[in-house]
Amino acid sequence: MKASLIAFALAGAAQAWQPAPDSMLTEWGESLGPENAWTEYPRPAFEREAWTNLNGLWSYAVTPKTTAAAPSTWSGEILVPFCIESALSGVKKRVTPDDALWYQRSFPGPDPAAGARTLLHFEAVDHDATVWVNGTEIGRHIGGNLPFSFDITGALKSGDNTLTVRVTDATDTEWQLHGKQVTDPKGIWYTPVTGIWQTVWLETLPEHHLESVKMVPAINGTVTLDFTARGGAEIPVEVVASLAGKELARVSGKPAETLTLKIPDPKLWSPESPTLYDLSIRFGDDTVKSYVGLRETGISRDADGHLRFTLNGEPYYHWGILDQGWWPDGLLTPPSDGGMVSDIRFLKEAGFNTIRKHIKVEPRRYYAHCDRIGMLVWQDQVSSGTGGNKFKKSSPAWPRLKPNPPEATWPDDAHAQYMSELKGMVDSLHNHPSIVVWVPFNERWGQHRTTEVGKWITGYDPTRSINIASGGNFFPVGHIVDHHQYPHPDFPFDLGKGGRFDDFVKVVGEFGGHGFPVPGHLWDSSKRNWGYGGLPKNKKEWIARYTTSVNKLAELKKRGIAGGIYTQTTDVEGEINGLITYDRKVKKLPAKRLARILANSGLLKEGSDASSTAGMAPVKIPDAAVAPVAPAMSRAEIEAGLSSHDRALYIKEGWIRDPYITLGPDDYYYLTGTTINEDDKREETDPYNVGLGGQSAVGNTVRVWRSKDLIEWDYLGTPFTLADSVHPQPGNVIWAPEVHWVPEMNRWALVHCPKQKSNLALSAGPELKGPWSHPMKGGFAGHHDPSLYHDGSKWWVLSENTMVQPLADDFSRFTGPKVRIDPSGSRPGPDGKPISRIGHEGATMIKVGNQYVHLGTAWSTDRGRKGSYNLYYSTSGKITGPYGPRKFAGRFLGHGTPFQTRDGKWWSTAFFNANVPPLARDGIETRDLSGDAQTINQRGTTIVPLDVSVLDNGEVRIRAKDPAYGTPGPDEVQKFGP
């Protein structure tokens, strides 16, 4: 490669280079030289074969900031890509905010084909960089943490070319984002970094070439690809996916089109199985290599009502570590690619499944290694407002999770720069499957316009969870409420009174920090070396403190904590609270010992706990060969049952969950629900697919059927798909859709979830079809499992099991806050603690007489996928409550929808939701089903008659009339009357 030619030219000069004397070095720093300084390809997720590495020895000089012209004499040589303050730069010199740092080097001009373009890439320069080629200014970039590039074709000449770079860096004296580096390092603040600190390189491209690709994978094997190209609008893009050298899928189309790759028999990405599919992308004369991991992240509520992270549809506990990414010899720059890999592998072997990358953006190769090794990443935005000399205006006070939090007031230009860097980070790292959480703010450092930032990033990347302010001031935006507690973990549950935290995943985003000094491996033994909670008397006490912290986190998990981040991977300067010393030469505990402490704590019961968090039982797929799918009942049976209104009726075969039936304005019954795509062969080959986990068959369309008599159903196709979503990245599945006729508008409303991708859409006219409009635009995102209720002239939204919120007449906004409507009283949960919610999903509303009836779904045991999936209710004279006690409506009716037929009779839909094939009805009333998820419902749509009446005392009674459904089973943990 050309990169090797440049390095060879520097070999003579390399003889004189040495790391700065009297410096702490890692083993990788000890073996470093100009000839091997970061020679790896810097952009592994979008790789081309030909490139030229410009790392190595450059000339440098420091001048006053007021100096605008390049110096005529140079101070010496600096090893790029290491910052001037680092030992590996060979300089180790501090510069100030009043200085300008200059670089210069020559490079041979490329000999491109006619029309070709040459791009100059900088992976990161801190902070304000201006670049000249042969004396021509080619561009300026502000921001110290992200890659940028310039087209330098017009400035090149044959023979040697001169590249000059000028950098200034205010660090913590202005609004800029600088993370842990400060002008007065001490405590938790570190040495400042100025100038080039990641790889500099060239590539020559065809005139028409690809600039980027954005991938959104799904666990059903589909990958959507959106390209940005320079010219060549009519040139086709072809993408080929392969695994272990075997081609599996291929797609082609114009670069402006969204392409969909369909990978058969998908192997999903997870830390336990980090499968990556190779992608070969061709665009005319341009060829790019990439890869994709098939994974989806999400959030779901467990049997105790606690929100948990999910990975590929399964609950997944985030057991993580705070990783600063600092090095004694390179500071922000790792001494080598191998050094980064060593840290990640140690953490994986120690049992961690998550790294919180703390207010630093790593070289892009770091995330590729996490992709390949299998490690989840919480990625922080680099912060402002830190350090002893911090620019004090940029951070507010810090009441943490208390109500009515303050914010800093940032000027518009500083906020615009913050947003530019936040968007740049998301864009540059979007395709890495390892990244599952974005963290815009750490604690209160630079925290400003929190709600605005949270809403923007939640909408911009709905494929990941948003932790708006880890340990910071809590605002109800994003998906996570995060508390920091040192040294041992804890969480202020009492501050969540009134439901403040109910719709947010609870995590302890930092804890631990137990310090232990290792003599001979301290950054500066003459200064304060510290850890949280003071230093232990000996190593035995240090191990005991660590063990106690992990055990306490395991206890907090039972109370709803869904993730914890231990501080930290390594010692950093004066912080000696790492599991490894700063020079990476001593593991304070072997990885296997750390893994054993984790195993003994019970924090992760089965590996990553992907299938057993908080009582969520493993998902098992019933065998269709053992239990063939039964046909729907005959017309005669259904007609008789509709008339007698005393038995369950299996009215329609076909894979469906959460079936929803409503009577439309044309006097037809309309049926929809969570469905499989119409061309998915698993309808026949995997008929009992439960729609959960890595092999879920849930599709990305809303399918609708229509019937005059609930017997013969006409298929209306897919009036709504994810292509109709308001969200730029709409996700990959549609869950629990409902369609509602809105007479005031003479059109249909459609709602669906999951939470981050929820839509509220309106049809164009009275027919149930598109084009669809979105009156709330992206404002409906976050309303999980939504349902609409029409109360006279007012429409309400129910969501999140269960909140109610009033809608404006045109559905363009909410006219009031969310109100939680739990039943009165409580019942004991599996852990003995009281539960007051009605269930965990499937909330709907009807009105009986003058009483509002709130219906919701739960497992009979209050443990996930254990027992029968049932329907419960409570009543109130006001829609916003207070509601009366929780009552039993019917067994096996979970996520069913009550509806009335034309004759006024009430029914509830029901469906197959179990881990084993359907059970026989005989004797089911006395059968204990607590050992597994079980049902008598066949695959398809069943309707069950309901007795809906007002008793003499004014109370509303709702109960399934079919005894198999109307009798609470022995596995029912709450006791109900007849």
Side-chain angles (χ1 to χ4, degrees), residues 1-7 38-42 48-55 58 105-111 118-121 163 199-204:
M1 287 185 176
K2 293 181 181 179
S4 62
L5 298 176
I6 297 293
W38 279 94
T39 57
E40 295 84 4
Y41 188 84
R48 294 184 174 95
E49 182 176 353
W51 68 293
T52 302
N53 192 347
L54 297 183
N55 291 340
W58 295 39
R105 70 156 296 155
S106 63
F107 63 92
D111 186 20
T118 297
L119 301 186
L120 171 63
H121 296 277
L163 171 59
T199 294
V200 185
W201 55 294
L202 295 168
E203 66 176 344
T204 299

mmCIF file of all heavy atoms in Angstrom, residues 1-7 38-42 48-55 58 105-111 118-121 163 199-204:
data_model
loop_
_atom_site.group_PDB
_atom_site.id
_atom_site.type_symbol
_atom_site.label_atom_id
_atom_site.label_comp_id
_atom_site.label_asym_id
_atom_site.label_seq_id
_atom_site.Cartn_x
_atom_site.Cartn_y
_atom_site.Cartn_z
ATOM 1 N N MET A 1 0.839 -1.198 0.000
ATOM 2 C CA MET A 1 0.000 0.000 0.000
ATOM 3 C C MET A 1 0.875 1.249 0.000
ATOM 4 O O MET A 1 2.033 1.236 0.407
ATOM 5 C CB MET A 1 -0.884 0.021 1.248
ATOM 6 C CG MET A 1 -2.028 -0.975 1.240
ATOM 7 S SD MET A 1 -3.083 -0.743 2.681
ATOM 8 C CE MET A 1 -4.347 -1.943 2.327
ATOM 9 N N LYS A 2 0.286 2.355 -0.408
ATOM 10 C CA LYS A 2 1.021 3.616 -0.380
ATOM 11 C C LYS A 2 1.479 3.962 1.026
ATOM 12 O O LYS A 2 2.514 4.593 1.220
ATOM 13 C CB LYS A 2 0.158 4.741 -0.938
ATOM 14 C CG LYS A 2 -0.146 4.598 -2.430
ATOM 15 C CD LYS A 2 -0.985 5.755 -2.910
ATOM 16 C CE LYS A 2 -1.321 5.595 -4.393
ATOM 17 N NZ LYS A 2 -2.165 6.698 -4.865
ATOM 18 N N ALA A 3 0.710 3.558 2.030
ATOM 19 C CA ALA A 3 1.059 3.883 3.413
ATOM 20 C C ALA A 3 2.431 3.354 3.764
ATOM 21 O O ALA A 3 3.214 4.011 4.460
ATOM 22 C CB ALA A 3 0.024 3.305 4.365
ATOM 23 N N SER A 4 2.811 2.176 3.269
ATOM 24 C CA SER A 4 4.107 1.617 3.587
ATOM 25 C C SER A 4 5.228 2.419 2.949
ATOM 26 O O SER A 4 6.318 2.516 3.490
ATOM 27 C CB SER A 4 4.168 0.158 3.129
ATOM 28 O OG SER A 4 4.013 0.092 1.720
ATOM 29 N N LEU A 5 4.985 3.033 1.784
ATOM 30 C CA LEU A 5 5.997 3.850 1.133
ATOM 31 C C LEU A 5 6.305 5.098 1.942
ATOM 32 O O LEU A 5 7.455 5.499 2.095
ATOM 33 C CB LEU A 5 5.541 4.234 -0.272
ATOM 34 C CG LEU A 5 5.311 3.071 -1.248
ATOM 35 C CD1 LEU A 5 4.769 3.600 -2.564
ATOM 36 C CD2 LEU A 5 6.601 2.291 -1.474
ATOM 37 N N ILE A 6 5.270 5.727 2.488
ATOM 38 C CA ILE A 6 5.480 6.915 3.309
ATOM 39 C C ILE A 6 6.276 6.547 4.552
ATOM 40 O O ILE A 6 7.205 7.233 4.949
ATOM 41 C CB ILE A 6 4.134 7.542 3.697
ATOM 42 C CG1 ILE A 6 3.392 8.012 2.440
ATOM 43 C CG2 ILE A 6 4.322 8.688 4.675
ATOM 44 C CD1 ILE A 6 4.050 9.147 1.721
ATOM 45 N N ALA A 7 5.922 5.432 5.189
ATOM 46 C CA ALA A 7 6.631 5.026 6.398
ATOM 47 C C ALA A 7 8.085 4.725 6.093
ATOM 48 O O ALA A 7 8.982 5.052 6.874
ATOM 49 C CB ALA A 7 5.942 3.798 7.001
ATOM 50 N N TRP A 38 0.459 3.655 14.493
ATOM 51 C CA TRP A 38 -0.912 3.558 13.981
ATOM 52 C C TRP A 38 -0.932 3.365 12.454
ATOM 53 O O TRP A 38 -1.343 4.233 11.706
ATOM 54 C CB TRP A 38 -1.744 4.767 14.403
ATOM 55 C CG TRP A 38 -2.260 4.622 15.794
ATOM 56 C CD1 TRP A 38 -1.678 5.087 16.933
ATOM 57 C CD2 TRP A 38 -3.415 3.899 16.202
ATOM 58 N NE1 TRP A 38 -2.410 4.708 18.038
ATOM 59 C CE2 TRP A 38 -3.496 3.983 17.615
ATOM 60 C CE3 TRP A 38 -4.403 3.200 15.523
ATOM 61 C CZ2 TRP A 38 -4.509 3.385 18.348
ATOM 62 C CZ3 TRP A 38 -5.431 2.609 16.252
ATOM 63 C CH2 TRP A 38 -5.468 2.696 17.646
ATOM 64 N N THR A 39 -0.496 2.174 12.058
ATOM 65 C CA THR A 39 -0.462 1.849 10.623
ATOM 66 C C THR A 39 -1.733 1.161 10.141
ATOM 67 O O THR A 39 -1.865 0.886 8.949
ATOM 68 C CB THR A 39 0.738 0.925 10.330
ATOM 69 O OG1 THR A 39 0.627 -0.257 11.146
ATOM 70 C CG2 THR A 39 2.049 1.635 10.662
ATOM 71 N N GLU A 40 -2.675 0.883 11.057
ATOM 72 C CA GLU A 40 -3.903 0.166 10.681
ATOM 73 C C GLU A 40 -4.876 1.090 9.947
ATOM 74 O O GLU A 40 -4.925 2.295 10.197
ATOM 75 C CB GLU A 40 -4.590 -0.403 11.924
ATOM 76 C CG GLU A 40 -3.790 -1.466 12.653
ATOM 77 C CD GLU A 40 -2.783 -0.866 13.625
ATOM 78 O OE1 GLU A 40 -2.758 0.383 13.789
ATOM 79 O OE2 GLU A 40 -1.987 -1.635 14.207
ATOM 80 N N TYR A 41 -5.702 0.475 9.097
ATOM 81 C CA TYR A 41 -6.715 1.239 8.370
ATOM 82 C C TYR A 41 -7.676 1.868 9.366
ATOM 83 O O TYR A 41 -8.216 1.183 10.246
ATOM 84 C CB TYR A 41 -7.477 0.325 7.404
ATOM 85 C CG TYR A 41 -8.412 1.085 6.486
ATOM 86 C CD1 TYR A 41 -7.941 1.669 5.313
ATOM 87 C CD2 TYR A 41 -9.758 1.241 6.803
ATOM 88 C CE1 TYR A 41 -8.783 2.375 4.470
ATOM 89 C CE2 TYR A 41 -10.616 1.949 5.968
ATOM 90 C CZ TYR A 41 -10.121 2.508 4.809
ATOM 91 O OH TYR A 41 -10.965 3.218 3.994
ATOM 92 N N PRO A 42 -7.948 3.174 9.274
ATOM 93 C CA PRO A 42 -8.662 3.868 10.347
ATOM 94 C C PRO A 42 -10.182 3.786 10.305
ATOM 95 O O PRO A 42 -10.839 4.196 11.262
ATOM 96 C CB PRO A 42 -8.208 5.325 10.166
ATOM 97 C CG PRO A 42 -7.913 5.435 8.705
ATOM 98 C CD PRO A 42 -7.382 4.094 8.277
ATOM 99 N N ARG A 48 -11.776 0.920 2.093
ATOM 100 C CA ARG A 48 -11.285 0.775 0.722
ATOM 101 C C ARG A 48 -9.851 0.243 0.760
ATOM 102 O O ARG A 48 -9.114 0.492 1.714
ATOM 103 C CB ARG A 48 -11.340 2.102 -0.022
ATOM 104 C CG ARG A 48 -12.765 2.616 -0.258
ATOM 105 C CD ARG A 48 -12.750 3.893 -1.090
ATOM 106 N NE ARG A 48 -14.096 4.329 -1.438
ATOM 107 C CZ ARG A 48 -14.805 5.228 -0.740
ATOM 108 N NH1 ARG A 48 -14.282 5.790 0.347
ATOM 109 N NH2 ARG A 48 -16.032 5.562 -1.117
ATOM 110 N N GLU A 49 -9.473 -0.434 -0.304
ATOM 111 C CA GLU A 49 -8.170 -1.095 -0.301
ATOM 112 C C GLU A 49 -7.012 -0.097 -0.361
ATOM 113 O O GLU A 49 -6.018 -0.236 0.344
ATOM 114 C CB GLU A 49 -8.083 -2.066 -1.473
ATOM 115 C CG GLU A 49 -6.781 -2.839 -1.507
ATOM 116 C CD GLU A 49 -6.738 -3.863 -2.612
ATOM 117 O OE1 GLU A 49 -7.780 -4.063 -3.269
ATOM 118 O OE2 GLU A 49 -5.665 -4.449 -2.830
ATOM 119 N N ALA A 50 -7.126 0.925 -1.193
ATOM 120 C CA ALA A 50 -6.017 1.857 -1.406
ATOM 121 C C ALA A 50 -6.151 3.064 -0.490
ATOM 122 O O ALA A 50 -7.189 3.722 -0.451
ATOM 123 C CB ALA A 50 -5.976 2.301 -2.868
ATOM 124 N N TRP A 51 -5.075 3.361 0.256
ATOM 125 C CA TRP A 51 -5.051 4.538 1.113
ATOM 126 C C TRP A 51 -3.602 4.868 1.428
ATOM 127 O O TRP A 51 -2.698 4.037 1.249
ATOM 128 C CB TRP A 51 -5.863 4.331 2.383
ATOM 129 C CG TRP A 51 -5.281 3.319 3.341
ATOM 130 C CD1 TRP A 51 -5.165 1.968 3.139
ATOM 131 C CD2 TRP A 51 -4.721 3.582 4.633
ATOM 132 N NE1 TRP A 51 -4.583 1.368 4.210
ATOM 133 C CE2 TRP A 51 -4.298 2.326 5.154
ATOM 134 C CE3 TRP A 51 -4.550 4.721 5.404
ATOM 135 C CZ2 TRP A 51 -3.708 2.199 6.413
ATOM 136 C CZ3 TRP A 51 -3.976 4.596 6.659
ATOM 137 C CH2 TRP A 51 -3.554 3.355 7.150
ATOM 138 N N THR A 52 -3.353 6.063 1.885
ATOM 139 C CA THR A 52 -2.004 6.517 2.210
ATOM 140 C C THR A 52 -1.988 7.055 3.637
ATOM 141 O O THR A 52 -2.724 7.982 3.970
ATOM 142 C CB THR A 52 -1.542 7.619 1.244
ATOM 143 O OG1 THR A 52 -1.601 7.115 -0.102
ATOM 144 C CG2 THR A 52 -0.125 8.061 1.566
ATOM 145 N N ASN A 53 -1.151 6.457 4.470
ATOM 146 C CA ASN A 53 -1.060 6.836 5.880
ATOM 147 C C ASN A 53 -0.065 7.982 6.039
ATOM 148 O O ASN A 53 1.093 7.868 5.629
ATOM 149 C CB ASN A 53 -0.598 5.621 6.687
ATOM 150 C CG ASN A 53 -0.739 5.818 8.173
ATOM 151 O OD1 ASN A 53 -0.954 6.923 8.652
ATOM 152 N ND2 ASN A 53 -0.609 4.732 8.921
ATOM 153 N N LEU A 54 -0.499 9.085 6.618
ATOM 154 C CA LEU A 54 0.374 10.232 6.842
ATOM 155 C C LEU A 54 0.871 10.321 8.285
ATOM 156 O O LEU A 54 1.468 11.338 8.676
ATOM 157 C CB LEU A 54 -0.346 11.531 6.463
ATOM 158 C CG LEU A 54 -0.745 11.672 4.988
ATOM 159 C CD1 LEU A 54 -1.379 13.035 4.736
ATOM 160 C CD2 LEU A 54 0.446 11.447 4.076
ATOM 161 N N ASN A 55 0.620 9.301 9.096
ATOM 162 C CA ASN A 55 1.192 9.297 10.441
ATOM 163 C C ASN A 55 2.716 9.219 10.361
ATOM 164 O O ASN A 55 3.279 8.742 9.376
ATOM 165 C CB ASN A 55 0.672 8.099 11.242
ATOM 166 C CG ASN A 55 -0.801 8.217 11.566
ATOM 167 O OD1 ASN A 55 -1.364 9.303 11.538
ATOM 168 N ND2 ASN A 55 -1.426 7.091 11.892
ATOM 169 N N TRP A 58 6.347 14.727 11.881
ATOM 170 C CA TRP A 58 6.023 16.000 11.262
ATOM 171 C C TRP A 58 6.861 17.087 11.957
ATOM 172 O O TRP A 58 7.302 16.926 13.103
ATOM 173 C CB TRP A 58 4.556 16.365 11.450
ATOM 174 C CG TRP A 58 3.533 15.466 10.794
ATOM 175 C CD1 TRP A 58 3.554 14.116 10.691
ATOM 176 C CD2 TRP A 58 2.316 15.898 10.191
ATOM 177 N NE1 TRP A 58 2.422 13.659 10.059
ATOM 178 C CE2 TRP A 58 1.630 14.740 9.738
ATOM 179 C CE3 TRP A 58 1.711 17.124 9.989
ATOM 180 C CZ2 TRP A 58 0.407 14.778 9.092
ATOM 181 C CZ3 TRP A 58 0.483 17.172 9.348
ATOM 182 C CH2 TRP A 58 -0.155 16.013 8.895
ATOM 183 N N ARG A 105 4.314 18.897 7.072
ATOM 184 C CA ARG A 105 5.013 17.754 6.479
ATOM 185 C C ARG A 105 4.808 17.792 4.972
ATOM 186 O O ARG A 105 3.908 18.500 4.461
ATOM 187 C CB ARG A 105 4.525 16.431 7.040
ATOM 188 C CG ARG A 105 3.111 16.045 6.624
ATOM 189 C CD ARG A 105 2.894 14.545 6.696
ATOM 190 N NE ARG A 105 3.752 13.857 5.751
ATOM 191 C CZ ARG A 105 4.149 12.596 5.889
ATOM 192 N NH1 ARG A 105 3.791 11.898 6.943
ATOM 193 N NH2 ARG A 105 4.922 12.030 4.974
ATOM 194 N N SER A 106 5.606 17.037 4.247
ATOM 195 C CA SER A 106 5.436 16.901 2.799
ATOM 196 C C SER A 106 4.967 15.490 2.488
ATOM 197 O O SER A 106 5.146 14.565 3.283
ATOM 198 C CB SER A 106 6.737 17.202 2.069
ATOM 199 O OG SER A 106 7.748 16.276 2.428
ATOM 200 N N PHE A 107 4.337 15.364 1.328
ATOM 201 C CA PHE A 107 3.918 14.041 0.857
ATOM 202 C C PHE A 107 3.902 14.053 -0.656
ATOM 203 O O PHE A 107 3.682 15.095 -1.284
ATOM 204 C CB PHE A 107 2.535 13.670 1.416
ATOM 205 C CG PHE A 107 1.413 14.574 0.965
ATOM 206 C CD1 PHE A 107 0.665 14.278 -0.168
ATOM 207 C CD2 PHE A 107 1.112 15.726 1.675
ATOM 208 C CE1 PHE A 107 -0.368 15.108 -0.580
ATOM 209 C CE2 PHE A 107 0.082 16.562 1.270
ATOM 210 C CZ PHE A 107 -0.661 16.260 0.139
ATOM 211 N N PRO A 108 4.195 12.923 -1.275
ATOM 212 C CA PRO A 108 4.204 12.871 -2.737
ATOM 213 C C PRO A 108 2.798 12.983 -3.295
ATOM 214 O O PRO A 108 1.855 12.394 -2.755
ATOM 215 C CB PRO A 108 4.830 11.513 -3.046
ATOM 216 C CG PRO A 108 4.565 10.687 -1.832
ATOM 217 C CD PRO A 108 4.581 11.632 -0.671
ATOM 218 N N GLY A 109 2.637 13.756 -4.342
ATOM 219 C CA GLY A 109 1.330 13.894 -4.960
ATOM 220 C C GLY A 109 0.893 12.616 -5.623
ATOM 221 O O GLY A 109 1.707 11.911 -6.237
ATOM 222 N N PRO A 110 -0.376 12.259 -5.514
ATOM 223 C CA PRO A 110 -0.882 11.058 -6.177
ATOM 224 C C PRO A 110 -0.932 11.268 -7.691
ATOM 225 O O PRO A 110 -0.845 12.395 -8.189
ATOM 226 C CB PRO A 110 -2.278 10.891 -5.587
ATOM 227 C CG PRO A 110 -2.687 12.271 -5.199
ATOM 228 C CD PRO A 110 -1.430 12.983 -4.788
ATOM 229 N N ASP A 111 -1.069 10.195 -8.380
ATOM 230 C CA ASP A 111 -1.168 10.256 -9.841
ATOM 231 C C ASP A 111 -2.536 9.703 -10.245
ATOM 232 O O ASP A 111 -2.655 8.620 -10.791
ATOM 233 C CB ASP A 111 -0.048 9.435 -10.475
ATOM 234 C CG ASP A 111 -0.027 9.589 -11.996
ATOM 235 O OD1 ASP A 111 -0.602 10.580 -12.494
ATOM 236 O OD2 ASP A 111 0.563 8.718 -12.663
ATOM 237 N N THR A 118 -8.979 13.427 -4.620
ATOM 238 C CA THR A 118 -8.126 13.060 -3.484
ATOM 239 C C THR A 118 -8.675 13.714 -2.230
ATOM 240 O O THR A 118 -8.871 14.935 -2.190
ATOM 241 C CB THR A 118 -6.675 13.508 -3.719
ATOM 242 O OG1 THR A 118 -6.150 12.816 -4.863
ATOM 243 C CG2 THR A 118 -5.817 13.180 -2.496
ATOM 244 N N LEU A 119 -8.939 12.888 -1.214
ATOM 245 C CA LEU A 119 -9.464 13.360 0.059
ATOM 246 C C LEU A 119 -8.393 13.264 1.130
ATOM 247 O O LEU A 119 -7.666 12.259 1.218
ATOM 248 C CB LEU A 119 -10.680 12.545 0.490
ATOM 249 C CG LEU A 119 -11.892 12.521 -0.446
ATOM 250 C CD1 LEU A 119 -13.045 11.783 0.213
ATOM 251 C CD2 LEU A 119 -12.305 13.927 -0.828
ATOM 252 N N LEU A 120 -8.303 14.302 1.935
ATOM 253 C CA LEU A 120 -7.418 14.340 3.090
ATOM 254 C C LEU A 120 -8.282 14.151 4.333
ATOM 255 O O LEU A 120 -9.193 14.943 4.586
ATOM 256 C CB LEU A 120 -6.672 15.678 3.153
ATOM 257 C CG LEU A 120 -5.872 15.970 4.414
ATOM 258 C CD1 LEU A 120 -4.737 14.958 4.594
ATOM 259 C CD2 LEU A 120 -5.319 17.400 4.384
ATOM 260 N N HIS A 121 -7.977 13.112 5.105
ATOM 261 C CA HIS A 121 -8.787 12.757 6.269
ATOM 262 C C HIS A 121 -8.013 13.004 7.569
ATOM 263 O O HIS A 121 -6.842 12.625 7.684
ATOM 264 C CB HIS A 121 -9.158 11.267 6.239
ATOM 265 C CG HIS A 121 -10.013 10.863 5.093
ATOM 266 N ND1 HIS A 121 -11.382 11.014 5.097
ATOM 267 C CD2 HIS A 121 -9.703 10.286 3.904
ATOM 268 C CE1 HIS A 121 -11.884 10.545 3.959
ATOM 269 N NE2 HIS A 121 -10.876 10.107 3.216
ATOM 270 N N LEU A 163 1.833 20.034 3.397
ATOM 271 C CA LEU A 163 0.622 20.057 4.210
ATOM 272 C C LEU A 163 0.924 20.809 5.503
ATOM 273 O O LEU A 163 1.875 20.473 6.220
ATOM 274 C CB LEU A 163 0.173 18.628 4.526
ATOM 275 C CG LEU A 163 -0.950 18.435 5.547
ATOM 276 C CD1 LEU A 163 -2.220 19.148 5.115
ATOM 277 C CD2 LEU A 163 -1.217 16.937 5.763
ATOM 278 N N THR A 199 -5.332 9.336 13.538
ATOM 279 C CA THR A 199 -4.665 9.136 12.252
ATOM 280 C C THR A 199 -5.012 10.211 11.225
ATOM 281 O O THR A 199 -6.156 10.662 11.124
ATOM 282 C CB THR A 199 -5.017 7.741 11.712
ATOM 283 O OG1 THR A 199 -4.441 6.762 12.573
ATOM 284 C CG2 THR A 199 -4.538 7.530 10.291
ATOM 285 N N VAL A 200 -3.999 10.584 10.431
ATOM 286 C CA VAL A 200 -4.165 11.456 9.271
ATOM 287 C C VAL A 200 -3.864 10.617 8.036
ATOM 288 O O VAL A 200 -2.860 9.894 8.005
ATOM 289 C CB VAL A 200 -3.210 12.670 9.340
ATOM 290 C CG1 VAL A 200 -3.494 13.631 8.183
ATOM 291 C CG2 VAL A 200 -3.325 13.386 10.679
ATOM 292 N N TRP A 201 -4.718 10.718 7.000
ATOM 293 C CA TRP A 201 -4.533 9.823 5.861
ATOM 294 C C TRP A 201 -5.161 10.394 4.598
ATOM 295 O O TRP A 201 -5.965 11.329 4.649
ATOM 296 C CB TRP A 201 -5.088 8.432 6.155
ATOM 297 C CG TRP A 201 -6.532 8.360 6.592
ATOM 298 C CD1 TRP A 201 -7.079 8.831 7.731
ATOM 299 C CD2 TRP A 201 -7.617 7.735 5.870
ATOM 300 N NE1 TRP A 201 -8.433 8.556 7.799
ATOM 301 C CE2 TRP A 201 -8.776 7.876 6.669
ATOM 302 C CE3 TRP A 201 -7.695 7.061 4.648
ATOM 303 C CZ2 TRP A 201 -10.016 7.377 6.270
ATOM 304 C CZ3 TRP A 201 -8.925 6.561 4.251
ATOM 305 C CH2 TRP A 201 -10.074 6.719 5.054
ATOM 306 N N LEU A 202 -4.757 9.825 3.475
ATOM 307 C CA LEU A 202 -5.251 10.223 2.154
ATOM 308 C C LEU A 202 -5.923 9.039 1.479
ATOM 309 O O LEU A 202 -5.555 7.885 1.704
ATOM 310 C CB LEU A 202 -4.096 10.673 1.257
ATOM 311 C CG LEU A 202 -3.298 11.917 1.617
ATOM 312 C CD1 LEU A 202 -2.038 11.976 0.751
ATOM 313 C CD2 LEU A 202 -4.134 13.168 1.409
ATOM 314 N N GLU A 203 -6.903 9.342 0.640
ATOM 315 C CA GLU A 203 -7.401 8.334 -0.287
ATOM 316 C C GLU A 203 -7.806 9.013 -1.585
ATOM 317 O O GLU A 203 -8.297 10.153 -1.586
ATOM 318 C CB GLU A 203 -8.555 7.518 0.305
ATOM 319 C CG GLU A 203 -9.828 8.269 0.582
ATOM 320 C CD GLU A 203 -10.947 7.353 1.091
ATOM 321 O OE1 GLU A 203 -10.840 6.129 0.945
ATOM 322 O OE2 GLU A 203 -11.926 7.887 1.632
ATOM 323 N N THR A 204 -7.547 8.323 -2.683
ATOM 324 C CA THR A 204 -7.919 8.810 -4.004
ATOM 325 C C THR A 204 -9.070 7.966 -4.526
ATOM 326 O O THR A 204 -9.005 6.737 -4.516
ATOM 327 C CB THR A 204 -6.725 8.737 -4.962
ATOM 328 O OG1 THR A 204 -5.695 9.571 -4.449
ATOM 329 C CG2 THR A 204 -7.116 9.228 -6.349
#
